[in-house]
Amino acid sequence: ATERTLSIIKPDATRRNLTGKINAKFEEAGLRIVAQKRIQLTMDQAGKFYEVHKDRPFYGELCEFMASAPVVVQVLEGESAIAKNREVMGATNPADAADGTIRKDFALSVGENSVHGSDAPETAAQEIAFFFSGLELVG
Ligand code: CMP
C-alpha cells in the first residue's frame, strides 16, 4: 500500500552540504518528497522527539547532536515507504550498512548517522504530526 514516513536529514549531513545527494537516493528508490523543511531544533524539541530513548545512555548526546545544526525534516511517500526508506538508509551503524545505502556512503558513526526514518506505521503517523500539519503535505 502507499505509505508516508517521516525522514530527518541530520546535522552531520546538513553541515557537509549533503541534502541534495541524500534526496537523490530517496527519489531514485521511488520515494516522493511530499513535504520538506529545514529547521533548527532546540534541545527541548530534540528531547521530545526522541523521548522513547530517554533512558538510554546516549540520550543526552543524541539530543545535543540533533540540536547542534539545522536538520531537514521531510515526509516521504510511496509503496511500502516505511520499509523502503529503511532499506535506502541502511543499518543504524554505518559499519553494518550495505553498499549503496545512505549510511554506508555518508554516515560518520552510529550517532552521526546522517538520517532518521520512522520504524513503523504508528510511529510514522506520530512523527509526521510532530513536525507537519496536514496542509503542509502536498502529494
Ligand atoms: P535514529 O534512527 O535517529 O534513532 C535513534 C538514534 O540514536 C539512532 O538513529 C542513532 O543515531 C542514535 N544511537 C543509537 N545508538 C547509539 C549509540 N550507541 N551512541 C550514540 N547514538 C546512538
Side-chain angles (χ1 to χ4, degrees):
T2 299
E3 293 174 342
R4 285 173 169 175
T5 192
L6 191 278
S7 166
I8 305 178
I9 300 178
K10 296 186 179 184
D12 67 283
T14 61
R15 269 197 200 100
R16 288 176 290 151
N17 215 18
L18 293 171
T19 299
K21 286 193 170 130
I22 289 173
N23 279 346
K25 297 247 198 209
F26 294 142
E27 292 183 345
E28 279 158 19
L31 292 164
R32 179 173 294 274
I33 301 163
V34 299
Q36 172 166 260
K37 55 191 172 189
R38 182 175 170 104
I39 58 175
Q40 171 70 54
L41 290 177
T42 64
M43 273 294 285
D44 217 57
Q45 290 166 335
K48 275 205 188 86
F49 182 78
Y50 279 119
E51 198 145 39
V52 292
H53 296 306
K54 71 176 183 311
D55 295 328
R56 306 274 198 105
F58 56 80
Y59 179 67
E61 188 188 324
L62 172 62
C63 295
E64 274 170 28
F65 167 60
M66 292 300 289
S68 68
V71 296
V72 176
V73 294
Q74 45 193 194
V75 179
L76 307 179
E77 183 182 272
E79 182 66 28
S80 305
I82 297 165
K84 189 173 281 180
N85 181 38
R86 293 180 75 75
E87 218 175 283
V88 176
M89 288 194 296
T92 303
N93 187 339
D96 304 325
D99 282 352
T101 61
I102 291 169
R103 285 165 171 161
K104 171 74 173 194
D105 287 357
F106 302 125
L108 301 175
S109 66
V110 67
E112 301 197 53
N113 64 353
S114 302
V115 280
H116 165 82
S118 307
D119 63 3
E122 304 71 44
T123 46
Q126 276 170 22
E127 292 180 359
I128 289 169
F130 186 88
F131 288 112
F132 293 99
S133 79
L135 285 174
E136 293 179 294
L137 310 182
V138 183

